[in-house]
Amino acid sequence: MSSSSLPAKPTLAVVAERAGVSPPTVSKVINGRADVSADTRARVLAVLEDAGYRSPLQRRTTADGTTVVEVVFDALDSTYSVEILNGILHAAGDLGVEVMVSITAVMPLNQSTPEQRAQRMVDEGRGGMIVVTSAFGGAQLSAFRRRRIPVVVIDPFNPPPADVVSVGATNWAGGKAAAEHLIELGHRRIAFLGGPETAECNQARLHGYMAALMARGLEVEPGYVRMGHFRTEDGVSGLKELLALKEPPTAIFAGNDSIALGVMAEARRNGLRIPDDLSLVGFDGTYQAAEAIPPLTSVAQPLQEMGRAALRTLLRQVRGEQLDSQRVELATQLVVRESTTIPKAN
């Protein structure tokens, strides 16, 4: 039986015969069950698509026709996260989309399994999910993929699979620009205080910083590169460790603005003046950077536009459109303020 001879609404038996499987297997595929091999699933889905069949797993709106998307954060406790969310909400308002926000840090310990969570998305008619700076596990992605639930990740901690769309900024170029700015001012002892070592965006910023130093023939001094989290307290502890070195740095590139603000606070406690005694560059370009004392030089990410781009890209997938690329990358820009200057004479 050719695909063209399939009835408009094929029965399980017809689909099973065409795919060379049993009717119960077809039922498992339609309902997103995990106990079907990838090859078998692909054959059954191909037959269903040829017939124009649309299963309940492909329902992407609520009963009243409204598209609902879920946005997941590890925590909503930083200016970075708030700016991303503002971009998503503004775009959702323009596009008539409803947004539901989930925070993994406050989810109950007995949270649902990946299969249950994916099925809940289907049952409640949600169009897809945006995941912000979170490690989204393979089991969860597989459960979503079986149900054809679109996912877009923003600044993922771990590299996403090739078929998952990600949105981010030019982190490598931003890290390079930050270090080059400090080098051009005359600094040679430049430290990097980063976030989680395995975070993809953190690695890109670190590599950009290292590339700038190597291009000028400068070595990364032992102890000058330290990792932690993207939190203020990591800036505090990081500066304490750097000041304990025999030859502390004259400048610091912080992996985000929160770390930089922690450096500022600890510098004040130690009687150090920024930028006279220590130059400092952050990353993100949040309003906190502009309002800091002194105003913080920072590599600005287009955070709200990243949120808008993530939602627009997710909706394209909901509509079944073919994407030109699985990676959306927006440009960063170094914003020079008052936290950097030439180093003091030794």
Side-chain angles (χ1 to χ4, degrees):
M1 181 185 292
S2 67
S3 61
S4 60
S5 62
L6 282 170
K9 293 184 178 180
T11 64
L12 292 184
V14 171
V15 173
E17 180 183 359
R18 177 70 179 85
V21 299
S22 67
T25 298
V26 176
S27 179
K28 289 180 180 180
V29 171
I30 290 174
N31 289 285
R33 290 273 298 276
D35 52 341
V36 180
S37 71
D39 288 344
T40 299
R41 188 183 307 279
R43 290 205 310 274
V44 172
L45 289 175
V47 175
L48 292 171
E49 288 175 0
D50 285 344
Y53 178 79
R54 191 172 181 82
S55 80
L57 296 181
Q58 294 170 277
R59 182 164 59 93
R60 293 291 177 253
T61 60
T62 58
D64 65 358
T66 302
T67 299
V68 180
V69 301
E70 185 169 346
V71 183
V72 178
F73 295 87
D74 276 351
L76 197 55
D77 58 358
S78 67
T79 306
Y80 167 93
S81 298
V82 171
E83 287 294 292
I84 292 284
L85 180 58
N86 278 336
I88 294 172
L89 293 176
H90 289 160
D94 293 339
L95 298 169
V97 174
E98 291 188 8
V99 174
M100 192 192 100
V101 178
S102 297
I103 301 174
T104 58
V106 298
M107 285 183 177
L109 294 177
N110 60 343
Q111 58 185 293
S112 57
T113 67
E115 292 292 336
Q116 291 170 335
R117 187 174 188 182
Q119 189 59 47
R120 175 179 57 79
M121 291 279 292
V122 172
D123 294 342
E124 296 178 3
R126 293 179 194 157
M129 179 177 285
I130 298 173
V131 182
V132 186
T133 58
S134 177
F136 208 57
Q140 187 70 79
L141 287 172
S142 295
F144 275 45
R145 189 180 293 113
R146 281 192 292 275
R147 292 164 175 79
R148 302 187 189 182
I149 301 171
V151 175
V152 174
V153 295
I154 298 177
D155 272 346
F157 273 13
N158 50 324
D163 62 340
V164 175
V165 178
S166 63
V167 174
T170 52
N171 289 294
W172 184 90
K176 186 170 183 286
E180 285 178 339
H181 170 64
L182 294 169
I183 293 169
E184 288 167 1
L185 288 171
H187 293 278
R188 296 298 178 264
R189 302 200 308 272
I190 305 169
F192 175 77
L193 295 180
E197 187 169 4
T198 57
E200 195 173 37
C201 58
N202 184 73
Q203 283 291 316
R205 293 167 199 176
L206 169 63
H207 293 159
Y209 150 87
M210 296 179 70
L213 267 61
M214 288 188 290
R216 301 296 182 94
L218 301 175
E219 293 185 5
V220 178
E221 297 293 331
Y224 274 21
V225 174
R226 297 178 180 272
M227 303 300 179
H229 299 281
F230 289 126
R231 300 179 304 201
T232 303
E233 49 263 42
D234 295 288
V236 172
S237 60
L239 182 57
K240 287 180 178 178
E241 294 170 357
L242 292 173
L243 292 178
L245 296 175
K246 182 178 180 180
E247 198 169 34
T250 63
I252 295 174
F253 168 36
N256 78 339
D257 289 348
S258 292
I259 295 174
L261 293 175
V263 171
M264 282 186 164
E266 184 61 18
R268 284 192 293 270
R269 282 190 284 268
N270 284 270
L272 297 177
R273 297 169 300 168
I274 292 177
D276 297 334
D277 300 315
L278 180 69
S279 282
L280 180 63
V281 179
F283 201 106
D284 283 343
T286 60
Y287 71 83
Q288 289 177 308
E291 295 177 355
I293 301 174
L296 177 67
T297 295
S298 182
V299 178
Q301 297 192 78
L303 298 176
Q304 291 202 24
E305 181 53 36
M306 287 163 59
R308 287 191 287 267
L311 181 62
R312 289 194 298 263
T313 303
L314 184 70
L315 293 178
R316 288 188 62 191
Q317 293 182 84
V318 170
R319 294 192 294 265
E321 297 180 17
Q322 186 69 35
L323 301 180
D324 298 328
S325 173
Q326 299 300 107
R327 171 68 176 175
V328 178
E329 195 166 84
L330 304 177
T332 54
Q333 179 182 6
L334 178 69
V335 180
V336 178
R337 297 191 179 97
E338 298 172 27
S339 67
T340 51
T341 191
I342 61 174
K344 291 174 65 174
N346 294 330

